[in-house]
Amino acid sequence: MTTALATLAVILASIASTSVSAKTTCSVSLHALGVAQDGGKPQIGNSDDPAWDDPALRRLATSLALIDHRDEVPRRWLFEATPDVKAQMHMLDQIASMPDRPLDGVFLTHAHIGHYAGLMLFGHESMGADNIPVYAMPKMARFLASHGPWSQLVKYKNIDIEELHDKHPVEIAGDVTVTPFLVPHRQEFSEVVGYKISSDKKTALFIPDIDAWEDWDALGVSIEDQIAEVDVAYLDATFFADGEIPGRDMSGFPHPFVAHSMARFAELPAREKSKIRFIHMNHTNPLHDPDSEERRVVKENGFGIADEGERYCLSR
Ligand SMILES: [Zn+2]
Ligand SMILES: [Zn+2]
């Protein structure tokens, strides 16, 4: 086996699909609790989506969970509080239940609905949470604290906002750190960040939303360099290609199409390509279809597609 192939095999082996029990051999694990764009799949108003009739085709909005199993009681963090957080908390309970406290923290990327609107379920009318730490950038923090209904969560101490700063790591559990970094994306109510999630062994990159890799180039940051620094990269795959939404000119859509990303990354070594797990797929994205030609092509080109429920082990 060549070195590249051997490395690929190791990377693939560390991505395991889990449904219930992930404790066992991995002490710090990352779980994809959702892989769809903000509106989930099927999306509101799309009655002809076969996912309405077939629950196996449904996908929750993009979210990752980080679990530290090293203490007797596991510690759990969410990345994003999506509109599907109710189902995602249930998934999390099945993987690692924590009877005494719901979460050790929630990291938010930005103020688009798929990424924070689930906070509402932490409030008085639903969970009635007690000071769940919510990590957010300064503008996002101010937005939450000063606009209802989010401000009520702060007032009633359902959540406790912790301010993040660009490229400043937050140490959440000894050797586990989370580092936000600004990315160019429609900044309507807040900054937009991605995250690096690191243990002393592995680092994951999470960029669910970005306008264009080239906008980042213009700011002096290359996505290829970012991928080189990590072991796995969950990257924006909102749309597969132009033409995906009938009757709409998609050329100005603020996301890197998967077809474009694949072309841009075509010359990367196989080892680098295999780190990529495409995520945040719109309900129209053919990558949701397990039998699509597009899905076959992505995999044939050496890239990965995040599956709901998959686990990535950060501790070995
Ligand atoms: Zn989004
Ligand atoms: Zn967004």
Side-chain angles (χ1 to χ4, degrees):
M1 203 187 271
T2 65
T3 312
L5 270 178
T7 312
L8 185 60
V10 169
I11 289 169
L12 290 176
S14 58
I15 296 168
S17 217
T18 54
S19 53
V20 282
S21 170
K23 197 165 179 176
T24 58
T25 55
C26 177
S27 57
V28 181
S29 55
L30 204 57
H31 302 257
L33 302 183
V35 299
Q37 181 266 3
D38 300 39
K41 178 178 174 65
Q43 202 175 75
I44 187 169
N46 286 267
S47 301
D48 52 353
D49 191 320
W52 291 113
D53 292 327
D54 183 355
L57 298 175
R58 295 181 192 168
R59 295 293 178 269
L60 306 177
T62 291
S63 171
L64 300 180
L66 175 67
I67 307 177
D68 183 342
H69 304 270
R70 291 172 295 185
D71 293 337
E72 201 169 316
V73 178
R75 304 189 66 198
R76 319 185 302 183
W77 295 265
L78 272 187
F79 289 81
E80 315 291 34
T82 83
D84 297 319
V85 72
K86 179 169 142 178
Q88 289 167 329
M89 284 294 294
H90 181 65
M91 286 170 77
L92 196 50
D93 283 339
Q94 290 189 298
I95 300 165
S97 70
M98 231 167 54
D100 297 333
R101 58 183 194 282
L103 287 168
D104 290 278
V106 181
F107 289 84
L108 304 177
T109 58
H110 65 301
H112 286 158
I113 58 139
H115 303 262
Y116 80 103
L119 289 177
M120 65 186 179
L121 291 173
F122 295 163
H124 199 53
E125 304 88 336
S126 181
M127 182 194 267
D130 178 19
N131 271 322
I132 294 178
V134 170
Y135 297 87
M137 292 294 282
K139 198 172 158 195
M140 176 91 201
R142 280 198 300 280
F143 169 72
L144 295 173
S146 56
H147 293 81
W150 324 111
S151 52
Q152 181 178 294
L153 301 168
V154 179
K155 190 175 160 198
Y156 290 176
K157 297 187 168 27
N158 302 120
I159 64 171
D160 179 27
I161 298 178
E162 305 268 352
E163 262 194 38
L164 296 170
H165 298 282
D166 186 27
K167 301 192 189 80
H168 285 236
V170 179
E171 199 179 283
I172 54 170
D175 52 7
V176 180
T177 59
V178 177
T179 310
F181 52 89
L182 290 166
V183 298
H185 181 57
R186 294 185 292 130
Q187 309 206 344
E188 279 142 344
F189 292 112
S190 72
E191 312 87 339
V192 182
V193 293
Y195 287 106
K196 275 185 186 158
I197 307 156
S198 302
S199 73
D200 61 344
K201 300 271 191 326
K202 296 265 174 68
T203 297
L205 184 68
F206 179 47
I207 306 178
D209 267 295
I210 189 166
D211 288 351
W213 305 127
E214 291 68 27
D215 289 357
W216 222 9
D217 291 337
L219 299 170
V221 185
S222 108
I223 178 61
E224 290 82 359
D225 289 348
Q226 300 301 307
I227 295 168
E229 288 178 12
V230 302
D231 301 283
V232 64
Y234 288 93
L235 301 184
D236 183 343
T238 309
F239 300 106
F240 188 79
D242 199 356
E244 187 174 315
I245 301 183
R248 292 274 297 271
D249 171 18
M250 295 175 62
S251 55
F253 276 35
H255 291 282
F257 297 149
V258 175
H260 172 76
S261 296
M262 283 201 296
R264 174 165 170 145
F265 301 146
E267 300 306 317
L268 288 180
R271 180 178 184 282
E272 294 298 290
K273 289 183 191 173
S274 69
K275 293 177 180 177
I276 296 171
R277 313 281 301 157
F278 286 119
I279 200 165
H280 192 270
M281 291 160 284
N282 197 53
H283 67 286
T284 54
N285 191 323
L287 295 185
H288 279 304
D289 175 357
D291 301 319
S292 70
E293 174 65 9
E294 289 84 350
R295 201 173 166 92
R296 192 189 61 73
V297 167
V298 167
K299 292 191 166 179
E300 199 173 86
N301 280 285
F303 302 100
I305 302 161
D307 287 317
E308 202 164 283
E310 77 177 29
R311 178 187 75 171
Y312 183 83
C313 186
L314 280 177
S315 56
R316 59 174 146 80

